[in-house]
Amino acid sequence: MQQVLLTCRPGFESDLAAEIQEKADACGVFGFVRAKADQGFVIFEGHESDAGKTLVRKLAFADLVFARQWLLVNHHLDSIPVDDRVGPITESLSALPMCALWMTFPDTNEGKSLSRLTRKLERPLSKAVTPLLQSTAPWYGHVFFLSGSEAWVGYTPVNNASQWPLGFPRLRQPSAAPSRSTLKLEEAWVQLIAEPQRASMLKPFQKAVDLGAAPGGWTWQLVQRGMQVTAIDNGPMDKTLMDSGQVVHLREDAFAYIPKRPVDWLVCDMVDKPARVAELMERWLVNGWTRFAVFNLKLPMKRRWLEVRQILEKIQSVLEEGNCRYQLKAKQLYHDREEITVFAAPRDY
Ligand code: SAM
């Protein structure tokens, strides 16, 4: 199997293409990438006959910034008969042992309109593939529909992929939160911190600083976790949130603010040059002013992967020079638009 299909936010295909090309090369898996603007996925085409399999084995999915999900392609079906979709799809799924079946589609308007079709197919297709299922198999069978008659069929590795078929968790906007941005921080915690560690990293009575906090969507998340928050912003904070008694609002410049004592969490959602935000984060981490950090890097430029790679490498090298043993995880989350989210935690955590 030579091809790997990787999904992304529509509009970010060239960034994902540049990223996977570079990372596949670094793994010694050579090939090229087919990417069309706004289709919500790219195809890595390996030169060797087992290139796809080697790639999903060697490259950690969690290290990909712009990819939401991936699948090792077995077949591209482009003329599925509308009166018998189950037959040809089931036939294409007999190459590898699989533990369950996923049906997904691109995050485009046309893609989303296919959710009805996948719901309709769920029963008959699940029934048809039942004899192929083995509960301990290391693959999910995966059908990625482009239309009612076209689909990419293949396999997603159970232990090296997003745990959500579409690549992101479904989160509900809390009605009490002061802004929609609140879901960015919630998703960051869910996507970037492994479940067993989440409870020990996010605890009541922890101290947090929110840089660029107004009107308070991220602060609201911290308050929900029972934390005491210092919110830095010249703009006004949501009144109900301030009434919680857990927030101190300082109208100061976030780039100049220094905490009196180290805190547990630093979060930052300021719209500024990514290199400038990165430097600010380096300062907080190297000086030990915070233990954990979640921050956004806004990416208004064209070559976003190049910018992201350079910034992440620079943060990593500044941390190492400062003897600061940190791990960084970066991802373009579902709730991120022209931006990515980075999570930093001590390496031994
Ligand atoms: N995370 C917030 C929420 O969920 O409600 C939204 C933050 S908004 C995208 C960015 C905020 O950063 C704005 O309120 C802006 O006033 C603030 N900001 C930008 N530059 C700043 C600076 N130098 N110091 C303090 N706040 C700043």
Side-chain angles (χ1 to χ4, degrees):
M1 293 178 202
Q2 283 170 284
Q3 296 168 315
V4 176
L5 184 153
L6 301 101
T7 65
C8 62
R9 182 180 185 87
F12 286 78
E13 295 78 10
S14 59
D15 309 289
L16 175 56
E19 183 184 13
I20 190 66
Q21 183 78 68
E22 215 175 278
K23 290 184 173 170
D25 275 1
C27 288
V29 180
F30 303 105
F32 62 96
V33 186
R34 294 181 201 278
K36 263 197 220 146
D38 300 320
Q39 65 180 5
F41 68 96
V42 307
I43 304 280
F44 174 83
E45 188 111 23
H47 296 321
E48 306 279 337
S49 60
D50 59 351
K53 225 172 172 176
T54 312
L55 186 62
V56 300
R57 183 169 50 80
K58 282 194 169 175
L59 179 61
F61 179 79
D63 289 345
L64 289 167
V65 178
F66 288 103
R68 286 182 175 173
Q69 187 57 280
W70 64 2
L71 69 106
L72 174 62
V73 175
N74 193 29
H75 286 122
H76 176 208
L77 303 178
D78 58 3
S79 49
I80 306 171
V82 288
D83 53 350
D84 175 26
R85 294 189 175 100
V86 172
I89 292 174
T90 311
E91 207 175 302
S92 330
L93 281 168
S94 50
L96 292 178
M98 56 187 192
C99 60
L101 180 67
W102 282 357
M103 279 185 278
T104 64
F105 37 80
D107 186 16
T108 56
N109 289 337
E110 306 82 73
K112 283 180 225 161
S113 70
L114 293 166
S115 66
R116 263 185 63 196
L117 171 74
T118 55
R119 275 201 303 274
K120 201 176 98 184
L121 279 177
E122 200 161 319
R123 239 197 206 176
L125 203 50
S126 301
K127 199 169 157 208
V129 300
T130 302
L132 304 173
L133 300 183
Q134 298 170 19
S135 59
T136 55
W139 303 95
Y140 294 111
H142 194 156
V143 188
F144 182 73
F145 285 97
L146 294 191
S147 71
S149 58
E150 184 179 0
W152 292 84
V153 183
Y155 303 92
T156 293
V158 172
N159 290 325
N160 191 21
S162 167
Q163 69 185 91
W164 300 278
L166 289 167
F168 51 86
R170 290 227 174 269
L171 301 175
R172 192 167 292 162
Q173 171 70 25
S175 58
S179 71
R180 281 199 63 78
S181 302
T182 196
L183 289 180
K184 285 197 288 185
L185 184 56
E186 187 181 355
E187 187 186 351
W189 285 336
V190 174
Q191 285 243 33
L192 303 177
I193 308 178
E195 225 245 303
Q197 284 146 19
R198 222 174 289 145
S200 64
M201 282 192 188
L202 293 160
K203 286 197 290 212
F205 307 111
Q206 283 179 323
K207 303 272 185 287
V209 169
D210 185 352
L211 299 178
W218 286 32
T219 294
W220 186 87
Q221 289 287 343
L222 298 159
V223 164
Q224 287 305 108
R225 298 272 177 171
M227 296 187 202
Q228 300 292 326
V229 188
T230 304
I232 314 290
D233 204 304
N234 278 316
M237 292 292 286
D238 178 78
K239 167 132 189 0
T240 317
L241 185 58
M242 294 308 297
D243 289 345
S244 68
Q246 286 168 246
V247 184
V248 174
H249 178 196
L250 301 178
R251 291 180 184 270
E252 292 184 26
D253 177 7
F255 287 92
Y257 172 78
I258 297 175
K260 289 201 175 69
R261 272 175 290 279
V263 297
D264 303 288
W265 279 93
L266 171 68
V267 299
C268 174
D269 182 28
M270 280 190 291
V271 182
D272 211 302
K273 288 203 179 80
R276 192 163 181 243
V277 171
E279 267 175 31
L280 181 64
M281 298 299 108
E282 287 159 15
R283 197 154 69 236
W284 273 74
L285 294 168
V286 168
N287 285 307
W289 296 342
T290 185
R291 196 142 53 113
F292 306 114
V294 169
F295 53 97
N296 266 186
L297 297 174
K298 314 288 171 187
L299 303 170
M301 65 291 299
K302 276 222 164 85
R303 300 173 72 191
R304 290 174 285 215
W305 164 243
L306 187 66
E307 179 82 10
V308 166
R309 172 163 57 71
Q310 286 171 348
I311 287 181
L312 293 177
E313 281 173 2
K314 156 119 187 321
I315 301 177
Q316 204 60 269
S317 81
V318 170
L319 293 178
E320 266 157 41
E321 276 165 32
N323 244 337
C324 198
R325 292 176 52 78
Y326 261 75
Q327 52 162 324
L328 299 177
K329 284 190 194 170
K331 196 97 202 150
Q332 186 179 38
L333 305 177
Y334 176 72
H335 293 94
D336 284 336
R337 289 169 185 263
E338 301 271 304
E339 61 200 331
I340 62 159
T341 299
V342 184
F343 169 58
R347 218 174 273 176
D348 51 10
Y349 207 87

